[in-house]
Amino acid sequence: MKLEKITNKRSSDAKRRYGDACGTAHALELIGDRWSLLVLRELMLGGRRFSQLRGDLPGISANVLTQRLAELEARGLVARKRLPPPASVQVYEATPWGLEAEPIVQALGRWAARSPGHDPTLPLSGVSLMLSFGTMFDPDRAKKFDGRIGFRLGPDSYLARIKKGRFKVARGEAGAGDVLLTASPTAIAAVVYGGAPIDSLLVEGDRQLAERFVKLFPLPAKVDALAS
Amino acid sequence: MKLEKITNKRSSDAKRRYGDACGTAHALELIGDRWSLLVLRELMLGGRRFSQLRGDLPGISANVLTQRLAELEARGLVARKRLPPPASVQVYEATPWGLEAEPIVQALGRWAARSPGHDPTLPLSGVSLMLSFGTMFDPDRAKKFDGRIGFRLGPDSYLARIKKGRFKVARGEAGAGDVLLTASPTAIAAVVYGGAPIDSLLVEGDRQLAERFVKLFPLPAKVDALAS
DNA sequence: CCGTATCCAATAAGATACTG
DNA sequence: CAGTATCTTATTGGATACGG
C-alpha cells in the first residue's frame, strides 16, 4: 500500500500533450478527451445544468462530467454561472470561443454520416438533433422555404427558422412557430433522416410546412464498406 | 459485498461507445481515440511507412501506432499496401473516405489557432505544415498570385501551387517549383506564422515569389484569455 | 435535489525489450 | 525495419458516500 501519492500530480497541470505545433494536435489537447466535445456540443444552444447534461449524455458518469466541465472551464471554453435568486441555480455555458467549435462538431457529423457503422436508432439529445439540422441542411432545397418550426422535445423547446436558404435554431419559443412538432428527438430523426412517416409525430399547425421541412436535410451516400 | 460480477463483460465486445445517434459521437468513436486523427492526418498527402509515421508523430509508441493503424484499417479509413518488388515494403494509405476527414483536421486547426495556449515552437511534421497552409490560406490575399512553391523538408518534398485563389499541395516534385524552400517545417512555420525573416530559410529560385507566398496565411486573432 | 469526492475494477496509453 | 510482447502508469466508468 502506498501511503503517499503526492508525486504523480501531473494529471491536471501537465496534461498529456502531443508535443506538436500543429493546430490540430493542440485542438485535440483542448477538446480531445473523451466526452469533452460532446459536453461542449450540449452547450451550443445555451446553458445547461449538471443534471441536464447527465441526461443528455447517456452513459457519462457524474465524476467524469464534473472533471470535463472543470477542464473545459479551465481552458476557457465553458463558464459556470449562477443565476440570480430566487432561481439561484448553477448553469454551465459555452464561452464565445467554445461556441466557435461548432464547425468542428459539424465537420465530424457530416463526415460520420457516411459511415457504414452509424446506428441512427440510438437515442439522441435535443441539441444533437437541432445541430444536425444545421449540419445537414441543404440551402438549395430550401431556396423557397420560409417558415418557423417549433419543437417540443420533452422538457426542452426549440425554434428553428428557415429563410432565404439559411437555417437558424435557438432554444425556447417553440410555440411561436408556424408549426409545432412534439415528439422525442429519436422519432423526429427517424422522420427526417430515416424516411419514417410524419404521422409518427404530433404535428400542430401548418402540417404542409412540416412535410416540406423534413425533406430539407439529405444524408450523404454511405461509404462502400469494401472500398479501399 | 457483491460476490458475482460476471455480468459486466461489455468491455471488449461492445467497445467504448457513446450510445448516441449523433453523427458527432459516432465520428468520435471512429477517430476519437488518442492519436487516431493525427495518424490519419499524416496520411493525407500520400502513403507513409510505419517508421515514417513514428518519426512524424513525436511521442507515439510503437504499440500504440500498431493499434491505431489496425483500428483505422478495420474501420475502413486506412489501407495497408505492399509495394511490388523489388521495393516490397509496406505502406499505409488513407482510403478515399479517410481523406474526406480533412475538413475535420482543418476545422480543428482553424479553431485551435485562436487558443492562447498554442505553442508554435514545438516541432511539426511536413504534412502538418502543408495542411496548415491549406487551412490558413487566404484566397483574397492570393487573388493575383500564380506560382509553384517547392519544399524540401529533410527527406520529404512537397510542391504547392497557387492559382486563381486556390491552394493545392502534393508530395514530391519540389524541384519543379518556381522557387524551392529548404528548411525544417518548424523554421518555415516560424517565417509564415511567426514573422521570422525569410533569410532563415534556404531560398532557391524566385525569391520575390517566396516573399509574397509567406504572407498568404494570416492567423486569426487570439482569444482573450479573460473572456467568458 | 445538485453536485463533489472517494474507492475500485477494467482499459488504454506509455516505455522498453524483443523477435523475424 | 516493422512490428510484438510485456510491464507500468494513467484514465475511465460505475458505485457509493458525502456536503450544501
Side-chain angles (χ1 to χ4, degrees):
Chain A
M1 293 248 220
K2 303 278 190 58
L3 293 182
E4 36 190 318
K5 55 172 51 177
I6 313 153
T7 46
N8 262 338
K9 246 358 196 171
R10 74 157 208 174
S11 320
S12 356
D13 50 342
K15 278 270 154 195
R16 283 202 292 175
R17 316 231 166 194
Y18 286 108
D20 190 328
C22 174
T24 306
H26 183 56
L28 292 173
E29 290 167 351
L30 293 168
I31 53 171
D33 291 317
R34 193 167 159 75
W35 293 109
S36 284
L37 190 57
L38 298 182
V39 171
L40 193 54
R41 175 194 71 186
E42 293 301 328
L43 302 178
M44 286 283 165
L45 294 179
R48 297 292 268 171
R49 302 183 57 176
F50 190 91
S51 54
Q52 291 178 314
L53 290 171
R54 263 192 99 169
D56 294 332
L57 299 168
I60 197 171
S61 54
N63 52 3
V64 172
L65 180 54
T66 298
Q67 190 182 326
R68 288 298 170 275
L69 286 169
E71 290 166 358
L72 291 170
E73 188 181 11
R75 294 165 189 177
L77 305 176
V78 164
R80 70 179 72 194
K81 300 218 167 156
R82 184 167 292 279
L83 296 185
S88 61
V89 298
Q90 188 168 246
V91 298
Y92 298 89
E93 292 182 357
T95 64
W97 183 36
L99 292 175
E100 289 174 23
E102 190 176 346
I104 297 170
V105 173
Q106 290 188 329
L108 285 164
R110 188 174 293 120
W111 176 77
R114 298 198 56 201
S115 168
H118 187 198
D119 179 0
T121 67
L122 293 168
L124 186 73
S125 78
V127 173
S128 291
L129 180 67
M130 294 298 136
L131 292 180
S132 79
F133 290 158
T135 301
M136 296 305 170
F137 179 66
D138 182 348
D140 271 353
R141 293 194 186 188
K143 268 180 196 158
K144 301 174 197 161
F145 195 105
D146 186 343
R148 302 190 295 174
I149 319 288
F151 298 88
R152 188 126 39 211
L153 314 173
D156 296 313
S157 292
Y158 300 88
L159 182 65
R161 56 184 69 192
I162 296 177
K163 193 171 183 177
K164 297 182 180 173
R166 310 268 298 177
F167 176 89
K168 287 188 197 171
V169 63
R171 185 172 284 135
E173 303 287 338
D178 304 304
V179 59
L180 174 62
L181 304 182
T182 303
S184 72
T186 305
I188 295 175
V191 173
V192 174
Y193 298 123
I198 202 171
D199 315 282
S200 49
L201 316 177
L202 172 58
V203 182
E204 296 168 280
D206 188 340
R207 184 194 173 88
Q208 210 174 351
L209 194 75
E211 285 173 353
R212 290 172 56 212
F213 174 84
V214 301
K215 298 204 172 87
L216 299 179
F217 310 92
L219 288 180
K222 291 285 182 192
V223 168
D224 178 358
L226 301 179
S228 66
Chain B
M1 289 248 218
K2 303 280 191 57
L3 292 182
E4 36 190 320
K5 55 175 47 181
I6 314 153
T7 46
N8 263 339
K9 242 358 197 173
R10 68 158 209 173
S11 323
S12 348
D13 49 340
K15 282 260 163 200
R16 282 208 292 173
R17 315 231 167 192
Y18 286 108
D20 190 327
C22 173
T24 306
H26 183 56
L28 293 174
E29 289 167 351
L30 292 168
I31 53 172
D33 291 316
R34 193 166 158 75
W35 294 110
S36 284
L37 190 57
L38 298 183
V39 171
L40 194 53
R41 176 194 70 187
E42 292 302 328
L43 302 177
M44 286 281 166
L45 295 179
R48 297 293 267 170
R49 301 181 59 177
F50 190 90
S51 55
Q52 291 178 312
L53 290 171
R54 263 193 99 169
D56 293 333
L57 298 168
I60 196 171
S61 54
N63 54 0
V64 172
L65 180 54
T66 299
Q67 192 181 327
R68 288 297 169 275
L69 287 168
E71 289 166 357
L72 291 171
E73 188 181 11
R75 294 166 188 175
L77 304 176
V78 164
R80 69 179 74 194
K81 300 215 167 158
R82 184 167 292 280
L83 297 185
S88 60
V89 298
Q90 188 169 247
V91 297
Y92 297 89
E93 293 182 356
T95 64
W97 183 38
L99 292 175
E100 289 174 24
E102 190 178 346
I104 298 170
V105 173
Q106 291 187 329
L108 285 165
R110 188 174 294 120
W111 176 78
R114 299 198 55 201
S115 169
H118 188 198
D119 179 0
T121 67
L122 294 167
L124 186 73
S125 78
V127 173
S128 290
L129 180 67
M130 295 297 136
L131 292 180
S132 79
F133 289 158
T135 301
M136 296 304 169
F137 179 67
D138 181 349
D140 271 353
R141 294 194 186 188
K143 269 179 194 159
K144 301 174 195 160
F145 195 105
D146 186 343
R148 302 191 296 174
I149 319 288
F151 297 88
R152 188 127 39 213
L153 313 174
D156 296 314
S157 290
Y158 300 88
L159 183 63
R161 57 183 69 190
I162 296 176
K163 193 172 182 178
K164 296 183 180 173
R166 310 267 300 177
F167 176 89
K168 287 188 197 172
V169 63
R171 186 172 282 136
E173 304 286 340
D178 304 303
V179 60
L180 174 62
L181 304 181
T182 303
S184 72
T186 304
I188 295 176
V191 173
V192 173
Y193 299 122
I198 202 170
D199 315 281
S200 50
L201 317 176
L202 172 57
V203 182
E204 297 168 280
D206 188 340
R207 184 194 173 88
Q208 210 174 350
L209 194 75
E211 286 173 353
R212 291 172 56 212
F213 173 84
V214 301
K215 298 204 173 86
L216 299 179
F217 310 92
L219 288 180
K222 291 285 183 193
V223 168
D224 178 359
L226 300 180
S228 66

